[in-house]
Amino acid sequence: MIDATIPEDWPNADLAEFLPVYASWLAEDPGLLGLGPWLSVERESRTLVGGAGFHGPPKDGAVEIGFDTLAAFRNRGYAAEAARALVEWALLRPDVHRVLARCVPGNAPSMRVLEKIGMRVTEGPAGGGMRWEIRGV
């Protein structure tokens, strides 16, 4: 369906667990399309390189994003491109005013991605890690 080569190490465990949950959400409410996982495909090779997505529908004007790039494709800007696209798409929605992300302290690559796309730390390390945020204008 996506006209791409899908590497054997996709999806990761978290996404594999979330896909059936998202499918059940869509079965109940097709309006949630887009508020789950998105796929990242390399243009030249048409290879799936990772993904990004939302952890669910907006709540109190905010959505949370996450992203992952397959090991063979890291450090090429794919995660930042995907995360930036999610933020831009989300902030065009009238029901979203903030985009959130969580990152464990010490995950320097993910922290760099969040910084590149303009997110800022709003909470320090706690049980759920560092919380990042960007607000719409």
Side-chain angles (χ1 to χ4, degrees), residues 91-106:
L91 291 176
L92 289 174
R93 294 175 54 97
D95 55 347
V96 175
H97 310 288
R98 300 177 304 137
V99 178
L100 310 173
R102 294 189 190 275
C103 183
V104 296

Side-chain angles (χ1 to χ4, degrees), residues 8-120:
E8 289 184 22
D9 56 342
W10 185 88
N12 68 28
D14 290 339
L15 181 56
E17 186 176 313
F18 181 66
L19 287 173
V21 173
Y22 183 56
S24 70
W25 292 354
L26 289 177
E28 291 179 26
D29 183 358
L32 295 176
L33 184 64
L35 291 167
W38 292 25
L39 303 177
S40 297
V41 175
E42 186 177 59
R43 288 179 187 95
E44 296 78 27
S45 70
R46 299 296 308 158
T47 300
L48 188 139
V49 299
F54 299 96
H55 291 259
K59 183 177 177 184
D60 299 324
V63 289
E64 185 174 345
I65 64 168
F67 49 86
D68 182 52
T69 304
L70 299 172
F73 299 97
R74 291 185 180 147
N75 299 311
R76 298 186 196 178
Y78 295 125
E81 182 179 357
R84 184 176 289 111
L86 290 178
V87 167
E88 290 171 359
W89 185 84
L91 291 176
L92 289 174
R93 294 175 54 97
D95 55 347
V96 175
H97 310 288
R98 300 177 304 137
V99 178
L100 310 173
R102 294 189 190 275
C103 183
V104 296
N107 185 344
S110 290
M111 291 168 59
R112 279 194 305 275
V113 167
L114 296 170
E115 289 169 350
K116 278 184 189 177
I117 67 170
M119 296 187 92
R120 300 289 176 247

